[in-house]
Amino acid sequence: MKKKILAGFLAGVMTFSLTACGNSGTDTSATADSTVASEDTVATEEKTEDAAENTEDAADKAEASADATHIYVLTAPEDHGWTGSVATFAKEKVEEVNGEGKYTAEVITCEDAAYQITQVEDIIAKGDKNIAVVIQPIDDTVQSAIQQLVDEGIPYVAFDRIIDGVAASAVSNVKGDNEGIGAGSAAYFVSLGMQPGDSVYVYEGDTSSVTTLRDQGFTEYLLGEIEFDGQKIADDAKWTQDQIDSAITYSGAMNWSRSDTKAAFETLMGDASNTEIKWFYAEDDELAMGMLEALNGGGIDDSAKEAFLGNKPVITGCGGLDELYGVLRGESYQDITSQLGGIMSVTYSPSMIQTAIQDMVDSLDGNEVTQDHVIECQNVTADNVADFKGFN
């Protein structure tokens, strides 16, 4: 009897134990399910909050973009040479401005003055309030369009070609030191022995203020009126105005053209008396290259070439054309340059357009900007050309 009772008691204990174990498993599963559900809810809420924040950020950026001043940068076409490289450098800077996000910007290239005027008029006609303009005027006829910007209260920065009639209204007038280019060439000639009254031939770019200033810088240095690289011409090397007037010959506008200069130089060398001219100041590297191509080609009589090169002529250009820097590095035209008395290029980099764009950005930021912003130049010779980067 006692055995039956004990057996029954043990069976009951086992049954209770199994039941208790079964209940414990069920409770753990429910708790786990509840925890997962709770975590999913939190994650969903966090994603919702993140999405809301992203939407808000996007809205803020869109609003900021809508309110941001838009900068129009008008340049000559991006084709080749100095003016073409201006557009290339402008696009680099515009990309930087857009990347920073505070302002928006775009480049508009204009193949001629009439088209550039139309572009300015179209910008004004849109009626947008938050706009600014950086412009490289194609020629002086663009003054009328710039005056419209002034009349509408649209801030503008002028680059390279500064038009006197509207210069006082610009946020900034950014240019290389055109007078310095003339002074640099004159100083180079003097350093190589040019004497007062020696014959000088000047190949001019065009009829703009750029050419006028490059002419002035050359003569003002010789007269002792301005410095180059911190120094004036020595008193015993100064020229008189009469010597300036009688000894310097100007080509007239070569339209910044290599081919026009080449043809003009070939014609000049057709007169034997001109082969005695030793000092040639070309107001652009393209013009200097035109002379080198003429000397390397068949358009000049061999006897004229021999007479000319026998006089150890000196040629200067300016701008920073890498092709001419290559000549200075000894990579081309070695036969000709070995017979020259010297060859040099004064800096006038197209990358200066980036300074013009930065001046506009600084002005929009409320910072003070120098209105007459002149960038100094340097003489580049075979001795220091490795320190300079040219443009194509």
Side-chain angles (χ1 to χ4, degrees):
M1 180 67 178
K2 288 182 179 179
K3 292 181 178 178
K4 289 183 179 180
I5 292 172
L6 181 59
F9 173 76
L10 291 173
V13 171
M14 292 176 65
T15 302
F16 174 79
S17 178
L18 290 170
T19 303
C21 287
N23 287 340
S24 176
T26 302
D27 289 344
T28 301
S29 176
T31 302
D33 290 344
S34 175
T35 301
V36 171
S38 176
E39 290 175 350
D40 288 345
T41 300
V42 170
T44 300
E45 290 175 352
E46 289 177 349
K47 288 180 180 178
T48 302
E49 290 176 0
D50 289 344
E53 288 177 0
N54 290 337
T55 301
E56 185 177 351
D57 288 344
D60 289 343
K61 289 180 180 178
E63 183 178 354
S65 179
D67 293 338
T69 297
H70 186 72
I71 304 170
Y72 293 95
V73 182
L74 282 73
T75 72
E78 189 179 17
D79 45 21
H80 67 280
W82 194 92
T83 53
S85 293
V86 168
T88 301
F89 283 112
K91 289 179 179 180
E92 287 182 3
K93 185 64 175 179
V94 160
E95 184 177 353
E96 177 185 320
V97 171
N98 287 328
E100 291 174 351
K102 190 170 185 180
Y103 306 106
T104 59
E106 66 177 288
V107 175
I108 300 174
T109 58
C110 307
E111 61 185 12
D112 55 42
Y115 185 75
Q116 192 171 61
I117 291 169
T118 299
Q119 292 305 302
V120 173
E121 291 175 344
D122 288 348
I123 289 169
I124 295 172
K126 291 178 182 178
D128 295 333
K129 299 301 179 185
N130 297 331
I131 60 173
V133 173
V134 176
I135 185 169
Q136 176 195 14
I138 299 298
D139 63 31
D140 289 355
T141 64
V142 181
Q143 177 174 339
S144 61
I146 294 176
Q147 186 60 53
Q148 292 180 57
L149 292 174
V150 175
D151 294 342
E152 293 294 327
I154 298 171
Y156 85 95
V157 168
F159 171 66
D160 184 41
R161 185 188 297 273
I162 308 303
I163 302 176
D164 291 338
V166 288
S169 301
V171 169
S172 178
N173 294 295
V174 178
K175 58 186 178 181
D177 187 358
N178 282 301
E179 284 186 291
I181 285 171
S185 291
Y188 183 67
F189 288 163
V190 171
S191 74
L192 294 179
M194 185 174 74
Q195 298 296 312
D198 280 357
S199 295
V200 178
Y201 200 93
V202 181
Y203 276 109
E204 297 180 296
D206 59 11
T207 58
S208 72
S209 62
V210 172
T211 293
T212 300
L213 290 170
R214 292 180 185 184
D215 287 346
Q216 288 179 356
F218 188 85
T219 58
E220 288 171 354
Y221 179 85
L222 295 178
L223 292 167
E225 296 175 357
I226 62 173
E227 299 178 344
F228 180 76
D229 198 22
Q231 294 184 334
K232 285 188 175 181
I233 190 172
D235 288 342
D236 59 359
K238 286 182 182 178
W239 290 41
T240 65
Q241 188 61 54
D242 286 344
Q243 289 170 329
I244 294 287
D245 295 339
S246 63
I248 299 178
T249 302
Y250 298 93
S251 67
M254 291 290 102
N255 302 308
W256 310 110
S257 168
R258 178 184 306 205
S259 59
D260 287 359
T261 307
K262 177 182 177 182
F265 184 67
E266 289 172 345
T267 299
L268 185 72
M269 291 295 102
D271 183 340
S273 64
N274 291 328
T275 62
E276 299 178 2
I277 302 173
K278 182 180 180 70
W279 312 102
F280 281 83
Y281 165 34
E283 294 184 342
D284 187 82
D285 286 344
E286 287 284 350
L287 311 188
M289 289 302 304
M291 294 180 63
L292 292 178
E293 287 189 0
L295 290 168
N296 198 47
I300 301 174
D301 186 77
D302 287 344
S303 61
K305 284 184 187 180
E306 184 178 354
F308 177 71
L309 293 172
N311 198 32
K312 286 290 187 181
V314 179
I315 299 172
T316 67
C318 69
L321 181 67
D322 196 59
E323 187 176 1
L324 186 53
Y325 281 6
V327 173
L328 297 178
R329 292 190 295 263
E331 298 168 358
S332 60
Y333 293 95
Q334 296 96 323
D335 289 345
I336 293 171
T337 57
S338 65
Q339 300 178 72
L340 297 177
I343 184 167
M344 181 273 290
S345 175
V346 189
T347 57
Y348 196 88
S349 174
S351 66
M352 293 184 293
I353 184 64
Q354 297 187 347
T355 300
I357 298 170
Q358 186 62 48
D359 273 3
M360 179 56 77
V361 170
D362 289 345
S363 178
L364 294 173
D365 283 345
N367 298 321
E368 185 175 350
V369 176
T370 301
Q371 188 178 53
D372 188 23
H373 194 159
V374 179
I375 300 173
E376 293 184 357
C377 54
Q378 297 175 267
N379 284 356
V380 182
T381 67
D383 293 333
N384 66 353
V385 66
D387 298 332
F388 295 87
K389 180 181 179 181
F391 67 88
N392 294 316

